[in-house]
Amino acid sequence: MQLNTKSKYVIIYLIFSAAMFGSIIMGAYNVRYTLEINNVTRLENLLTNAKNTIATLEQKVVSGELDEIKAKRLASELMQSYAYSDNEYIWMTDENLVFLAAPLDPQIIGKPFADIVSSEAKVHILNHLTVAGEVITYSWFTTRENITTEVKSIAVKSKVWNWYLGSGVQEKKVNDTFYSFLIEGLTIGFIVNLFIGLVMLFAVRKYNKTLGNDPEIILNVID
């Protein structure tokens, strides 16, 4: 079946639209994947710095440079002041998973980890964080303002005191950035797609008015 000029333009336009919107959606998902990877890397770096701080104090106690009680008090004060974001921080607990530091939530200091986070997260940490200095990842769910979100977290255990340190990033933050990028991309894509569609429409009308719909007529005119 031979297609007329209008049908060919429509097919080309639909193929272009599908390719453009497909690229926008794929780009948004790539951005989301990159955000998730960057979050993990960023948190691992922050957690490593915090772990090294505690490790230094532990070694000073072992070497006799610092009294253990003073060193632990200093560690708690340092970690309590270690706030790097308005909604994220490195928390720290003792060997029994009782909070010693939580920069943005000082009210939870002295409370059990299971009561504040979840028993599921506590079990995961105890079962998988068996090697001191090894960073593990785990997920748990939190509900705030009737919105339940998944929190991907990381944790590590100090070598001498067996204290736990960790942090997490709520999926809501990643999702908000993802949807913002996606909506913005689709909006721009729609405008570009509409503009190109109008250009093609005027082009088709011009060709039809000047040369007609039959491709053979167009070729004859060109010859």
Side-chain angles (χ1 to χ4, degrees):
M1 182 178 68
Q2 190 174 12
L3 299 175
N4 58 31
T5 304
K6 183 177 180 180
S7 298
K8 289 181 179 179
Y9 270 99
V10 170
I11 292 174
I12 293 173
Y13 177 71
L14 291 176
I15 293 174
F16 170 80
S17 299
M20 182 177 65
F21 286 113
S23 298
I24 292 172
I25 294 173
M26 288 181 61
Y29 276 100
N30 285 335
V31 168
R32 177 172 183 166
Y33 176 77
T34 301
L35 285 172
E36 291 176 345
I37 296 298
N38 288 344
N39 276 335
V40 173
T41 301
R42 175 177 59 85
L43 288 175
E44 286 180 348
N45 291 335
L46 290 168
L47 191 59
T48 297
N49 291 336
K51 179 192 68 174
N52 291 340
T53 299
I54 302 303
T56 299
L57 292 172
E58 289 176 331
Q59 290 304 315
K60 287 185 178 295
V61 172
V62 172
S63 65
E65 295 181 50
L66 278 177
D67 175 74
E68 182 172 350
I69 295 178
K70 291 181 179 180
K72 288 184 175 181
R73 185 187 306 118
L74 177 59
S76 298
E77 291 174 354
L78 287 173
M79 293 308 304
Q80 184 61 24
S81 65
Y82 192 31
Y84 56 88
S85 175
D86 59 353
N87 61 357
E88 295 176 330
Y89 59 83
I90 300 293
W91 52 259
M92 183 174 70
T93 73
D94 62 13
E95 67 277 12
N96 297 315
L97 280 170
V98 174
F99 279 103
L100 297 174
L104 300 183
D105 296 300
Q107 70 277 6
I108 71 174
I109 295 176
K111 297 182 179 180
F113 182 86
D115 293 349
I116 302 301
V117 183
S118 71
S119 298
E120 179 185 359
K122 176 182 178 180
V123 171
H124 189 96
I125 289 177
L126 293 177
N127 289 342
H128 294 86
L129 194 49
T130 56
V131 179
E134 178 184 359
V135 177
I136 65 166
T137 60
Y138 63 97
S139 297
W140 54 285
F141 292 89
T142 180
T143 301
R144 292 183 179 180
E145 298 179 357
N146 296 324
I147 299 177
T148 300
T149 58
E150 181 184 7
V151 181
K152 292 183 179 181
S153 303
I154 58 176
V156 67
K157 182 168 67 172
S158 68
K159 293 183 178 181
V160 179
W161 299 336
N162 292 319
W163 283 6
Y164 297 91
L165 300 95
S167 185
V169 177
Q170 293 189 12
E171 285 293 293
K172 185 177 183 299
K173 187 175 183 179
V174 174
N175 289 336
D176 288 345
T177 304
F178 165 72
Y179 286 119
S180 175
F181 183 90
L182 181 61
I183 292 173
E184 181 180 352
L186 290 175
T187 301
I188 295 174
F190 175 78
I191 295 173
V192 172
N193 197 56
L194 180 62
F195 174 77
I196 293 177
L198 291 174
V199 170
M200 293 180 69
L201 177 63
F202 288 131
V204 170
R205 287 184 175 181
K206 182 177 180 180
Y207 283 131
N208 287 344
K209 182 178 180 180
T210 305
L211 303 173
N213 289 323
D214 191 347
E216 293 184 359
I217 297 177
I218 298 176
L219 291 175
N220 291 334
V221 171
I222 294 175
D223 291 339

